[in-house]
Amino acid sequence: MPGTFKRSPLKRPERPYIALGLEGSANKLGAGIIKHDSDGSTTVLSNVRHTYITPPGEGFLPQDTARHHRQWIHSVIKDSLKQAGVEIHDLDCICFTKGPGMGAPLQSVALVARTLALMFDKPLVGVNHCVGHIEMGRQITGAQNPVVLYVSGGNTQVIAYSQQRYRIFGETLDIAVGNCLDRFARVINLSNDPSPGYNIEQEAKKGKKLLPLPYTTKGMDLSLSGILSTTEAYTYDKRFSQTVEPSPESDTITPADLCFSLQETVFAMLVEITERAMAHIGSKEVLIVGGVGCNERLQDMMGIMARERGGNVFATDERFCIDNGIMIAQAGLLSYRMGSVTPLSETSCTQRFRTDQVHVAWRA
Amino acid sequence: MATASLIADSTQIAQGAEAVSDPPSRNTTRKVYKAYIHTSFDSDAKVPILLKHRFKKQYRHPSLDANLTRARVAGEARALLRCLRSGVSVPGIRMVDATEGVLGVEWIEGKSVRMLLGGGAEGEEEQVSDSEEFFDDTTDAGGESVSHVDPLDEYQVTIDEIMGLIGSEIAKMHKADIIHGDLTTSNMIIRHPFAAKGPSPTKLVLIDFGLAYTSTLVEDKAVDLYVLERAFASTHPDSEPMLFAVLEAYKKGMYKDWTTVERRLQDVRLRGRKRSMVG
């Protein structure tokens, strides 16, 4: 309830706590170390990431991604410890992504987490990836009780907190928004470096024309697969040309125009369902998390909407938006401080793990 | 512009939460006004109407916004008209200006079902998305200081009766192949008994057809019911018996079409990504 203040069940730490977070649910491999100090402050000691980048026109396959993670995990963890200036013995717990995500990459990282835990006798904490994003976003931006738009390659959800759960108000009925953008980047052969979404964003800045695309919101849910097909169909249109410069007058269709149209339509839908959720629960804060959350056009549109309603938008940059280890450490340490530890027999991974399955013990 | 001057002369309707929140009237995706129009040239009598203004969304690309607004206003008017023709209890249409994004409908004196049922946790803040048809409640404008009379008594209805009406109205609407798209208890109004005059006054009025469309598909009807189910669960605690009563009345209204809708409704309940699929 807005206005009523409830005491947080999370007690102030009596000593500093340090946690290592390991993330590898998709093509990013991350390790991060976070410290919760006894004065109540939180410090990011290190946040190291290595991304598996595929050639243009190709996506990342589970087995190749897992191979990449296995190859790099040692150096990533070593780097994170070195940057943080801590020894592995100093850690209070080791946090890893339990799900949701791709099976093989999740397993390869969980295996490392388990091994470390047994070697150094540290407790393990399994973390829901989505909750990790939300908690890191809240920590970095200081947003109190925002409506959360979680947009990434695998997830598209509008989330609000209520009674110790992050409840899903609206979500995609088919593919995730990041998936939609990434796949279109593949269609027009954009580079995957640093990320297909980033290159779409740059390309869209050159776009001049808004082409008609389906606008498919269903209540608070949305559907994106038809938009992808329609955008792709434009590339077979006679007017489509990859060599012409975009111009508002001529009737040619350029890749830039398509990127522009795709972004404008999809983001308008996202902002609309977020606005609905805000109206429904009466919140004035929006927090954007997830890889697509780095997109500045999305942040702009959300900002305009929030200001129209007299609220504001919170967003983070690529360090914390894109999958990273530190968010796993943050969410894991919060639940560790509430006394939750994952016993070794339950440190399995799961590809299906909904945001609303997690009991959020650390919030009132 | 005739439409613009009508809006300028009208009063924006104070909504429940706006008394306590500031800045005011920013809580829905449209603005709603109460305006008066003359019924004929020679008389001075004015009747109240409700104006819904879909204002320009700055965040949307202008041409996308214009297209959406035009399509949605026209679609809403079309759905209302279709409902009226099929005998579903909805507000009558008074004026349409699709390019300006303004729709004028009959003013309905009454209270939303959500208010009558005591609205659940977020009760006082009548802020459900797009719920903007409002009622001017002169008796307890103070909001919180609700009069001692049980509103259900004042409106001379019982909860069972309301649930029956909801079910049968939705069935009538679905029989006419209209999908509401946003069935919540805020989008249903019980007419005040004093206002329910005329030849055959209907007690329950379905409002806000902003997301409505026509479809013959069982799928769409089932999703429509599922939306209502979720809305009930999130706003009214212990809503299962109420929802059961709604579905009973709906079943009666749908006759033999019910079995297919029921089967699909069970499928729809299982949807959503990344659910654990054990067994």
Side-chain angles (χ1 to χ4, degrees):
Chain A
M1 293 276 310
T4 49
F5 180 78
K6 286 196 208 113
R7 179 166 237 127
S8 166
L10 193 67
K11 283 189 215 58
R12 182 168 277 208
E14 69 285 359
R15 61 176 176 85
Y17 279 84
I18 300 177
L20 167 72
L22 299 175
E23 149 67 26
S25 64
N27 68 336
K28 285 93 176 175
L29 177 66
I33 296 176
I34 204 157
K35 180 160 98 172
H36 287 189
D37 228 325
S38 44
D39 61 357
S41 69
T42 300
T43 331
V44 175
L45 298 179
S46 67
N47 184 13
V48 181
R49 175 166 56 213
H50 195 277
T51 310
Y52 171 51
I53 293 170
T54 48
E58 278 178 39
F60 49 93
L61 297 169
Q63 53 173 350
D64 303 334
T65 313
R67 196 175 302 127
H68 164 268
H69 288 2
R70 286 199 295 271
Q71 241 163 38
W72 284 90
I73 188 110
H74 283 114
S75 61
V76 166
I77 294 178
K78 269 187 192 146
D79 277 0
S80 74
L81 287 167
K82 205 160 100 196
Q83 280 182 26
V86 293
E87 292 290 316
I88 204 152
H89 299 282
D90 302 336
L91 299 173
D92 286 284
C93 61
I94 296 173
C95 315
F96 69 100
T97 314
K98 188 170 169 62
M102 283 180 157
L106 276 175
Q107 279 165 16
S108 51
V109 174
L111 184 74
V112 174
R114 257 177 251 135
T115 314
L116 284 178
L118 289 176
M119 277 170 69
F120 298 95
D121 193 23
K122 299 285 175 195
L124 277 168
V125 184
V127 175
N128 181 304
H129 183 85
C130 316
V131 173
H133 269 297
I134 299 170
E135 288 308 334
M136 202 62 215
R138 288 204 319 130
Q139 173 60 40
I140 292 294
T141 62
Q144 286 306 310
N145 187 20
V147 168
V148 183
L149 176 67
Y150 172 29
V151 275
S152 69
N155 292 280
T156 302
Q157 298 176 337
V158 180
I159 301 159
Y161 173 81
S162 148
Q163 292 168 3
Q164 302 210 312
R165 299 248 170 218
Y166 285 114
R167 290 178 204 274
I168 302 173
F169 269 74
E171 61 185 317
T172 175
L173 295 170
D174 36 56
I175 58 174
V177 57
N179 192 223
C180 178
L181 296 174
D182 290 359
R183 277 161 70 176
F184 184 65
R186 261 176 254 160
V187 169
I188 53 171
N189 252 310
L190 283 182
S191 163
N192 287 328
D193 186 19
S195 70
Y198 177 81
N199 290 321
I200 288 221
E201 185 181 354
Q202 304 315 314
E203 194 72 11
K205 287 178 183 162
K206 292 181 253 160
K208 298 275 188 277
K209 265 196 294 283
L210 186 80
L211 295 150
L213 291 174
Y215 191 92
T216 39
T217 55
K218 289 188 164 198
M220 292 221 228
D221 294 334
L222 51 88
S223 156
L224 294 159
S225 58
I227 297 177
L228 178 62
S229 311
T230 317
T231 322
E232 199 175 338
Y234 275 118
T235 61
Y236 300 113
D237 197 294
K238 281 200 191 90
R239 293 166 291 166
F240 180 74
S241 161
Q242 288 207 297
T243 48
V244 189
E245 281 294 304
S247 95
E249 288 85 31
S250 73
D251 68 339
T252 51
I253 299 171
T254 63
D257 291 330
L258 289 176
C259 291
F260 173 70
S261 310
L262 184 62
Q263 274 199 18
E264 287 297 315
T265 312
V266 168
F267 292 168
M269 286 162 48
L270 290 174
V271 175
E272 187 179 327
I273 59 166
T274 312
E275 189 175 12
R276 271 174 207 286
M278 284 170 81
H280 191 96
I281 63 164
S283 170
K284 289 198 189 303
E285 290 182 335
V286 201
L287 172 66
I288 313 179
V289 298
V292 185
C294 317
N295 190 302
E296 285 172 359
R297 178 62 189 144
L298 177 61
Q299 294 181 3
D300 277 354
M301 288 167 80
M302 199 60 89
I304 297 169
M305 183 275 284
R307 274 195 298 282
E308 273 179 6
R309 307 177 57 82
N312 41 355
V313 61
F314 296 91
T316 54
D317 59 25
E318 54 83 30
R319 284 171 301 164
F320 305 109
C321 252
I322 297 177
D323 292 351
N324 56 74
I326 199 77
M327 66 183 206
I328 302 300
Q330 165 72 0
L333 189 51
L334 285 172
S335 91
Y336 178 72
R337 280 172 56 196
M338 292 305 297
S340 157
V341 169
T342 313
L344 195 64
S345 57
E346 286 166 30
T347 53
S348 57
C349 297
T350 167
Q351 283 145 294
R352 304 170 188 277
F353 192 5
R354 277 173 77 81
T355 319
D356 48 13
Q357 277 171 273
V358 180
H359 175 71
V360 185
W362 53 92
R363 285 189 70 179
Chain B
M1 281 291 341
T3 312
S5 69
L6 195 57
I7 289 181
D9 290 343
S10 60
T11 42
Q12 190 163 356
I13 300 161
Q15 304 191 357
E18 278 159 15
V20 285
S21 71
D22 54 326
S25 74
R26 290 265 170 94
N27 57 354
T28 64
T29 49
R30 319 162 209 179
K31 291 179 179 156
V32 185
Y33 305 88
K34 184 178 189 176
Y36 290 88
I37 52 167
H38 292 278
T39 41
S40 64
F41 282 112
D42 43 345
S43 85
D44 261 349
K46 285 182 173 182
V47 291
I49 63 165
L50 185 126
L51 286 182
K52 299 168 70 169
H53 184 206
R54 286 179 164 81
F55 56 93
K56 233 174 142 49
K57 295 280 175 192
Q58 298 300 327
Y59 64 80
R60 261 197 304 242
H61 188 280
S63 68
L64 176 63
D65 190 62
N67 281 336
L68 277 174
T69 304
R70 211 179 317 121
R72 284 180 177 178
V73 172
E76 182 167 1
R78 219 170 277 136
L80 280 174
L81 202 62
R82 217 182 143 106
C83 280
L84 288 166
R85 245 189 254 128
S86 316
V88 186
S89 169
V90 296
I93 304 171
R94 297 294 177 259
M95 61 159 289
V96 183
D97 188 339
T99 39
E100 285 289 314
V102 176
L103 179 71
V105 294
E106 178 190 349
W107 181 265
I108 289 164
E109 200 71 45
K111 249 183 198 250
S112 74
V113 172
R114 180 177 180 169
M115 299 270 266
L116 285 175
L117 295 183
E122 293 110 359
E124 314 80 20
E125 8 172 314
E126 230 353 275
Q127 284 200 344
V128 171
S129 67
D130 289 347
S131 73
E132 67 299 278
E133 256 101 331
F134 268 86
F135 21 79
D136 101 311
D137 207 6
T138 40
T139 45
D140 50 61
E144 261 59 34
S145 61
V146 184
S147 52
H148 301 295
V149 192
D150 185 346
L152 288 171
D153 289 344
E154 191 194 332
Y155 278 76
Q156 299 164 16
V157 283
T158 61
I159 289 187
D160 284 349
E161 202 180 339
I162 297 178
M163 296 307 135
L165 284 167
I166 294 175
S168 61
E169 287 304 324
I170 297 175
K172 254 192 266 172
M173 186 178 77
H174 282 180
K175 285 230 131 192
D177 293 332
I178 301 153
I179 313 299
H180 185 283
D182 192 16
L183 284 174
T184 65
T185 44
S186 315
N187 283 339
M188 301 161 181
I189 285 189
I190 299 289
R191 255 187 233 268
H192 197 278
F194 294 127
K197 289 170 201 138
S200 59
T202 43
K203 268 191 171 164
L204 182 108
V205 186
L206 297 178
I207 60 164
D208 193 8
F209 282 71
L211 294 173
Y213 58 98
T214 53
S215 164
T216 53
L217 297 180
V218 177
E219 158 78 17
D220 293 321
K221 293 173 189 175
V223 170
D224 219 17
L225 289 179
Y226 181 60
V227 169
L228 178 69
E229 207 170 283
R230 283 211 301 195
F232 253 102
S234 66
T235 37
H236 308 289
D238 308 317
S239 60
E240 273 123 72
M242 291 199 267
L243 199 73
F244 183 77
V246 171
L247 289 181
E248 274 302 302
Y250 179 81
K251 182 176 166 183
K252 238 181 251 156
M254 291 295 275
Y255 297 117
K256 55 183 190 296
D257 293 337
W258 163 247
T259 40
T260 47
V261 177
E262 185 191 27
R263 208 175 304 133
R264 186 56 72 103
L265 180 60
Q266 271 155 11
D267 290 348
V268 172
R269 284 185 186 129
L270 296 173
R271 276 183 208 162
R273 280 163 62 92
K274 302 200 167 114
R275 287 199 196 283
S276 57
M277 305 235 178
V278 187

